Amino acid sequence: EAGVAQSPRYKIIEKRQSVAFWCNPISGHATLYWYQQILGQGPKLLIQFQNNGVVDDSQLPKDRFSAERLKGVDSTLKIQPAKLEDSAVYLCASSPTQGGDTQYFGPGTRLTVL
Amino acid sequence: AQSVSQHNHHVILSEAASLELGCNYSYGGTVNLFWYVQYPGQHLQLLLKYFSGDPLVKGIKGFEAEFIKSKFSFNLRKPSVQWSDTAEYFCAVKPYYGNNRLAFGKGNQVVVIP
């Protein structure tokens, strides 16, 4: 079974630039999550999709972050404009359903904002 | 909102030593509990989980964790570690009801010296 795919793996940008990350979940998984992991901390949920609908985006900084999952499969997370404090690893995860199921994580995208 | 505490962020021990990592959470309701592990250069993967039933849970690679409801704890243990157990370990908690959000602790960086 193929795992969660993410690209790019690394990205370096200057502050005020924009950046986008892509995630392809495990086939058949209805729920998709984006997490932000700052160095020295655990992952923090940014947004959760159930199919192509948003379930929880209460921790997403909506003034600069946006995410979509238009066809209910792969997803894109965008930051515009980026700030220095956005430097982190952005993790994508998926699970079969929304409930207590295990989440399966991708390798992450390491973003450095200069 | 639930929170998760992991102490002793950095742990260094020799092979064959015993390992115990503490995890405490603050949430009064029913929870699902997880330990995830991230080996160097790899993505987060599930070590073990507790949903219900026997509070002593056995996971992969000889790890086990005990859920003590009265103490709001879910400590991870391994009787005899190997060099290959060098990794970062994250405890995570998800309310069974409510926001359904998976909350992670800050992690424990474990280094096993051969």
Side-chain angles (χ1 to χ4, degrees), chain B residues 10-107:
Chain B
H10 292 96
V11 177
I12 301 174
L13 57 166
S14 300
E15 277 192 318
S18 64
L19 172 68
E20 180 160 1
L21 301 177
C23 174
N24 290 90
Y25 64 93
S26 63
Y27 185 76
T30 303
V31 293
N32 295 327
L33 298 157
F34 306 81
W35 276 96
Y36 280 86
V37 61
Q38 188 166 23
Y39 298 103
Q42 297 187 26
H43 57 272
L44 271 170
Q45 55 188 283
L46 183 70
L47 197 56
L48 48 78
K49 63 184 178 183
Y50 172 80
F51 284 4
S52 64
D54 188 344
L56 185 61
V57 180
K58 295 193 184 298
I60 60 172
K61 304 188 179 185
F63 283 90
E64 64 179 28
E66 185 176 12
F67 171 48
I68 303 179
K69 188 175 181 180
S70 61
K71 294 185 177 181
F72 299 90
S73 69
F74 189 54
N75 293 354
L76 180 71
R77 297 191 291 258
K78 186 170 182 177
S80 176
V81 295
Q82 301 173 319
W83 174 78
S84 58
D85 293 322
T86 294
E88 189 152 21
Y89 295 81
F90 293 93
C91 181
V93 176
K94 188 173 189 180
Y96 192 77
Y97 302 103
N99 65 35
N100 237 356
R101 187 182 304 150
L102 188 62
F104 284 85
K106 290 188 175 182

Side-chain angles (χ1 to χ4, degrees), chain A residues 3-10 22-24 34 37 89-93 104-110, chain B residues 38-39 41-45:
Chain A
V4 176
Q6 289 188 248
S7 68
R9 293 294 309 275
Y10 304 91
W22 174 81
C23 171
N24 193 28
W34 282 103
Q37 186 177 14
V89 176
Y90 291 85
L91 298 167
C92 180
Y104 297 86
F105 285 81
T109 297
R110 183 176 297 276
Chain B
Q38 188 166 23
Y39 298 103
Q42 297 187 26
H43 57 272
L44 271 170
Q45 55 188 283

